[in-house]
Amino acid sequence: MRWEARAAATRLASGDVHGVALTWVDNAGLTRVKTIPVARLAQVAERGVGMSPVFDVYLVDDSMTTSRHVGGPDGDLRLIPDLGRLTALAGQPGWAWAPVDRHDQQGRPYPGCQRLFARRMAALAAEHGIELRMGFETEWIVQRGGAPACTGPAYGMARVAELAGYLDDVMCALTDQGVEVLQLHPEYMAGQFEVSVAPSDPVGAADLAVLVRETVRSVSLKHGLTPLFGPAVVAGGVGNGGHLHLSLWRDGKNLCRDGGGPFGMTAGSEAFLAGVLHALPALLAIGAPSPASYLRLEPSRWAGVFQCWGLENREAALRFIAGAPDDPDGANAEVKCFDPAANPYLVVGSVIAAGLAGLEAGAVLPAPVQGDPAAGDGSADAGPAPARLPRTLPEALSHFDRSDMLRGALGEVLFEAVAAVRRAEIELFDGKSPQEIADATCGRF
Ligand code: GLU
Ligand code: MG
């Protein structure tokens, strides 16, 4: 480790990098940081840098609550950078970045660490002989002086022309950092864009979600623009999603295709996806964690508010993509009901835990749904309309509180901290209007 760190520090120092930003994401979904001079990297890689555990009960407005295990001024943790992810930041000259795992003062893994949780769940999947490939989509609304930074239509080429220099810089900065961009496009809302990147291992996908967002942020600021990553910017309008794509692999083969199950999925991937679908009401407390998330979760906005799945159905919470016959990587599933307020490490870990529970139970998927359930098109077998997912954070939290599966996977410390933050944010925004909630949160993530 020490040698690796020294090599990395030398490599960085020979360029124009002076500081390294060490980030982790708290339970409210905010990326927190300590920065160090590059010369300290070798030492910090070994001993870490200190940070209070109280940030695990910080809220979106920087006030704090307490959980059964966390809170108050006492204690310290060590942030240990993952040097395998060390990246010179193209959009932020002078700086490099690395995500951290958090350990206690004795060097033991900290049970409240979200990234270590994601690692544990990925390792558990590996014990089941499953490797997951995951990727987050990043959506944001970009403003200039409080108004959308472009006026062109939804998905319109006019927006690319208006902001050509900015979008070029976003794409180049990501590419320069070794991030493989799949696509970048204007989205529905005024000033809204989306970028998606190539899939990765689960922890890598969560790291990438952080890196992509921070890259978009720094490039936006350089252009005098303000990027808003909150789930709701305009109450009553389409929000920002943080969709998660996933596929299951074994021995280099994609288990989402060439099987005997629905649309070619194997029995294993069907069981895994059925586990995820079943757990969605509780998973919303992880993937749609803010009171603002529920301003976004409305039908007919492609946010996936129904607890159902369908082939290429953008109104289903779980959208299956069969992929082209000559594209073995193409088959995957997309969880659409999650948003960018979510901690991506908690998302990947919790989704794996839910999927493995489905796998262990040999779960099967219900009939797929075609069309918009809100439009009354009905399911393919004309069965009852699918259930709406929780419409409020308290509703999602009550499913979370009752989920032994998530409690077991997250462990007491992390589970209780997440629940405490959700409860406190419910209280924080109690009685506020939808637009007040959107305004207070959209620029925080
Ligand atoms: N912005 C939509 C959401 O809130 C998603 C649009 C899309 O399907 O990409 O999730
Ligand atoms: Mg989108």
Side-chain angles (χ1 to χ4, degrees):
M1 177 64 107
R2 195 182 182 104
W3 176 247
E4 190 191 2
R6 204 168 267 160
T10 310
R11 202 170 67 239
L12 291 181
S14 67
D16 288 320
V17 171
H18 314 119
V20 187
L22 307 178
T23 66
W24 81 104
V25 184
D26 70 16
N27 291 318
L30 274 67
T31 299
R32 309 278 180 186
V33 71
K34 279 268 173 108
T35 79
I36 55 164
V38 75
R40 281 248 298 144
L41 189 58
Q43 193 190 357
V44 168
E46 194 164 285
R47 289 200 206 99
V49 61
M51 192 80 184
S52 164
V54 81
F55 291 97
D56 285 337
V57 286
Y58 257 50
L59 311 187
V60 66
D61 69 340
D62 291 342
S63 62
M64 59 186 105
T65 185
T66 53
S67 77
R68 199 177 300 162
H69 310 274
V70 188
D74 305 317
D76 207 11
L77 296 172
R78 312 304 298 170
L79 310 181
I80 310 283
D82 183 341
L83 296 181
R85 305 279 180 204
L86 190 65
T87 305
L89 294 176
Q92 217 173 295
W95 289 93
W97 161 87
V100 303
D101 293 320
R102 295 183 300 155
H103 292 250
D104 69 14
Q105 294 287 41
Q106 280 71 45
R108 294 173 302 214
Y110 174 56
C113 177
Q114 301 86 352
R115 193 168 185 269
L116 288 175
F117 161 65
R119 275 187 196 269
R120 278 200 311 278
M121 292 302 113
L124 205 57
E127 281 174 29
H128 284 76
I130 286 170
E131 185 197 323
L132 284 132
R133 294 198 191 161
M134 293 181 156
F136 285 93
E137 294 178 1
T138 298
E139 291 189 349
W140 75 101
I141 286 178
V142 63
Q143 296 189 337
R144 182 181 281 118
C150 54
T151 56
Y155 305 93
M157 178 60 194
R159 282 196 203 168
V160 178
E162 284 179 82
L163 293 176
Y166 166 62
L167 297 172
D168 177 44
D169 275 0
V170 168
M171 190 122 54
C172 288
L174 289 169
T175 306
D176 285 355
Q177 290 167 180
V179 177
E180 191 186 335
V181 175
L182 296 181
Q183 53 176 11
L184 171 62
H185 66 269
E187 264 289 344
Y188 187 82
M189 284 296 274
Q192 193 177 34
F193 290 89
E194 172 183 322
V195 65
S196 51
V197 300
S200 178
D201 65 282
V203 177
D207 289 338
L208 272 174
V210 173
L211 180 60
V212 168
R213 187 178 306 181
E214 296 313 320
T215 303
V216 169
R217 194 193 312 279
S218 55
V219 172
S220 302
L221 295 176
K222 239 173 34 186
H223 282 258
L225 304 173
T226 306
L228 302 173
F229 297 100
V233 175
V234 179
V238 170
N240 289 321
H243 308 172
L244 174 73
H245 286 264
L246 66 139
S247 54
L248 284 75
W249 294 71
R250 181 176 288 144
D251 302 328
K253 284 187 95 73
N254 186 348
L255 302 182
C256 289
R257 55 177 278 153
D258 302 327
F263 307 115
M265 56 180 95
T266 61
S269 60
E270 178 179 3
F272 190 97
L273 294 178
V276 174
L277 182 63
H278 174 75
L280 280 180
L283 286 173
L284 271 200
I286 297 288
S290 163
S293 301
Y294 297 82
L295 303 175
R296 164 185 170 259
L297 284 175
E298 289 290 339
S300 310
R301 291 187 195 164
W302 291 6
V305 303
F306 292 97
Q307 191 180 9
C308 63
W309 75 284
L311 181 69
E312 293 288 12
N313 187 343
R314 288 184 168 78
E315 281 300 321
L318 190 65
R319 168 183 174 233
F320 187 71
I321 299 125
D326 59 349
D327 177 16
D329 295 345
N332 73 94
E334 177 188 29
V335 184
K336 287 187 74 74
C337 49
F338 297 164
D339 69 56
N343 178 315
Y345 302 98
L346 292 181
V347 167
V348 301
S350 301
V351 165
I352 295 172
L356 292 180
L359 199 66
E360 277 165 14
V364 290
L365 285 166
V369 167
Q370 279 182 296
D372 183 352
D377 292 357
S379 64
D381 66 353
R388 262 296 287 273
L389 286 168
R391 291 165 195 247
T392 64
L393 183 55
E395 210 187 312
L397 182 58
S398 76
H399 288 278
F400 180 77
D401 276 335
R402 284 179 274 127
S403 173
D404 293 336
M405 180 274 294
L406 287 176
R407 185 181 283 275
L410 288 156
E412 279 298 310
V413 173
L414 191 47
F415 185 91
E416 290 292 339
V418 168
V421 170
R422 301 295 173 269
R423 271 194 293 276
E425 289 201 358
I426 289 167
E427 206 173 302
L428 182 68
F429 291 109
D430 189 33
K432 297 276 190 285
S433 74
Q435 193 56 52
E436 283 173 331
I437 296 172
D439 288 343
T441 50
C442 68
R444 298 292 294 167
F445 299 100

